Amino acid sequence: MSVLICGGAGYIGSHNIRAFTAHGENVIVIDNLETGHRESIPENIKFYQGDIRDSQILDKIFTENKIEAVIHFCAFSLVGESVEQPLKYFNNNVGGMISLLEAMQRNGIKKIIFSSTAATYGEPKKIPIFETDETIPTNPYGESKRIMEKIIYWVSRRYDIRYVSLRYFNVAGAWHDGSIGEDHIHETHLIPLILQVPLGKREFVTIYGDDYPTKDGTCIRDYVHVEDLAEAHILALEYLRNGGESQIFNLGSGDGYSVMEMINAARKATGQNIPVKIGTRREGDPAKLVADSTKAHEILKWYPKFTNMEEIISSAWKWHQSHPNGYKS
Ligand code: UFG
């Protein structure tokens, strides 16, 4: 039996391919390569280039292979772009989910692990955030993921499909050997942008606001290493295999770090001075997002190994140094 990784050419999907194969799983991948990179998928992995909104290719995959479970990473994920182009996000993210679940139902596939996000919570009323806290997304990206969770919930009740939805906080870092990592066409994430300074691609990093109600005035986030994240997907699959019921889990390291602290950690990890400029706030950024991941600890037995920010940034640095222009290097 195989595991189908949908969106395996993306940042998080490609790390999951590595982790699942290292764990002895047989992996099959589908990706439309709209934002993903073919180079991030090992040559020996069976790869289908296509879109999960295309029911024909899904039926072909489910017919040609014995698929036990689906790990679903396909989505557009830029918050700012989602505000500008909401229909693009609802069409791709929500449309993809409906098509995938329809194909699973037609082909008798009963387990799905879904890539959700802290953005489903919106602006939290208190920290840390629990899975039971209310979800009021503040942008179409977060809303699309929340809608996708609701769709799986109702489908799972009707068709005997069980799911695990994993709400990621701020995913960072790269595979330990530096062979794969984060490579977005429009980079908006803090750590890759910080590292562009020591790479010589930008002169300074702009801090989006230093007047937040936090210890140093900059936003606080909960950074989780992409390898730890991948481990959670493996544990989630084991959990479903052992008959576990459908669940939603937060995945964070459990500690919050400010933008300024991350820049200081990057200075240590790279051994370089990283100049900063204070800019204005970025619209829609909550002051503080920190997960309570106790549920994942207790039920999945998931404990992140990377809790030191310097180590997380060092692993990203290894990738960016060896691939200064991403996969085109
Ligand atoms: N930031 C800067 N300067 C930059 C880039 C980012 O100060 O050049 C700050 C942001 O304001 C924010 C923090 O760094 O406070 C982290 O920003 P990212 O863009 O790296 O990450 P976000 O917290 O905005 O977004 C992440 C995921 C999203 C997800 C969201 C959930 O990347 O996919 O968490 O809230 F939706």
Side-chain angles (χ1 to χ4, degrees):
M1 296 288 269
S2 300
V3 170
L4 176 65
I5 298 192
C6 301
Y11 168 47
I12 299 171
S14 60
H15 285 77
N16 272 266
I17 295 176
R18 293 287 201 291
F20 272 84
T21 48
H23 191 247
E25 300 286 347
N26 191 29
V27 164
I28 287 162
V29 175
I30 176 170
D31 198 297
N32 64 8
L33 298 182
E34 198 168 326
T35 54
H37 305 274
R38 178 68 181 91
E39 302 89 325
S40 69
I41 303 170
E43 286 296 324
N44 62 343
I45 297 289
K46 192 165 178 186
F47 173 66
Y48 292 83
Q49 183 174 348
D51 195 297
I52 60 163
R53 286 166 296 180
D54 173 359
S55 56
Q56 282 181 356
I57 192 163
L58 289 180
D59 283 341
K60 181 175 155 68
I61 294 172
F62 289 131
T63 308
E64 288 179 359
N65 307 279
K66 276 195 171 323
I67 305 290
E68 177 202 0
V70 171
I71 324 282
H72 179 25
F73 298 104
C74 300
F76 290 138
S77 61
L78 299 177
V79 169
E81 186 185 60
S82 79
V83 175
E84 291 303 315
Q85 301 181 59
L87 290 172
K88 172 177 170 176
Y89 274 67
F90 291 120
N91 186 323
N92 186 61
N93 297 3
V94 178
M97 177 58 100
I98 293 169
S99 168
L100 182 61
L101 288 168
E102 282 173 345
M104 286 175 63
Q105 191 258 323
R106 273 197 306 277
N107 291 277
I109 316 293
K110 303 211 175 293
K111 303 183 193 83
I112 177 166
I113 295 163
F114 169 56
S115 163
S116 186
T117 170
T120 54
Y121 294 110
E123 181 86 41
K125 292 210 171 69
K126 57 180 180 50
I127 296 294
I129 303 170
F130 289 83
E131 291 87 351
T132 46
D133 288 354
E134 63 183 0
T135 48
I136 308 176
T138 50
N139 53 65
Y141 165 65
E143 189 75 78
S144 73
K145 289 277 180 166
R146 184 65 189 121
I147 293 169
M148 291 158 86
E149 283 188 342
K150 288 183 178 177
I151 293 170
I152 313 185
Y153 167 78
W154 289 108
V155 169
S156 73
R157 287 187 52 154
R158 171 66 181 85
Y159 294 117
D160 181 32
I161 287 173
R162 283 173 304 126
Y163 69 89
V164 167
S165 178
L166 299 172
R167 290 181 179 162
Y168 315 151
F169 280 64
N170 286 60
V171 188
W175 195 248
H176 50 268
D177 66 1
S179 60
I180 55 169
E182 210 166 349
D183 178 5
H184 300 119
I185 298 163
H186 302 294
E187 193 51 77
T188 62
H189 294 110
L190 179 65
I191 294 172
L193 287 174
I194 294 175
L195 294 177
Q196 284 182 4
V197 181
L199 279 177
K201 301 177 107 185
R202 86 177 37 233
E203 283 174 20
F204 56 87
V205 53
T206 304
I207 296 179
Y208 297 147
D210 67 348
D211 57 351
Y212 284 94
T214 60
K215 50 191 167 186
D216 60 18
T218 66
C219 285
I220 290 180
R221 294 287 181 272
D222 184 340
Y223 295 87
V224 55
H225 195 283
V226 66
E227 282 196 28
D228 280 327
L229 199 78
E231 179 68 21
H233 292 73
I234 293 169
L235 292 169
L237 178 59
E238 296 294 349
Y239 167 80
L240 289 178
R241 278 180 179 151
N242 291 332
E245 62 188 38
S246 297
Q247 293 281 4
I248 295 175
F249 296 99
N250 283 342
L251 296 181
S253 297
D255 255 327
Y257 293 88
S258 72
V259 173
M260 203 57 236
E261 286 174 323
M262 295 307 282
I263 292 168
N264 283 329
R267 286 173 173 151
K268 285 194 189 145
T270 61
Q272 295 197 41
N273 178 34
I274 299 172
V276 301
K277 282 196 180 168
I278 306 298
T280 51
R281 289 183 178 198
R282 186 171 66 177
E283 205 188 323
D285 273 343
K288 216 170 167 187
L289 288 176
V290 180
D292 184 293
S293 304
T294 310
K295 189 175 168 188
H297 302 328
E298 288 179 351
I299 298 180
L300 297 180
K301 309 292 175 217
W302 176 74
Y303 294 95
K305 295 180 187 72
F306 290 86
T307 51
N308 177 317
M309 295 305 110
E310 216 182 301
E311 269 184 58
I312 292 184
I313 295 173
S314 290
S315 82
W317 182 227
K318 190 170 178 178
W319 150 256
H320 287 291
Q321 266 187 309
S322 56
H323 299 79
N325 298 310
Y327 288 100
K328 288 188 185 68
S329 298

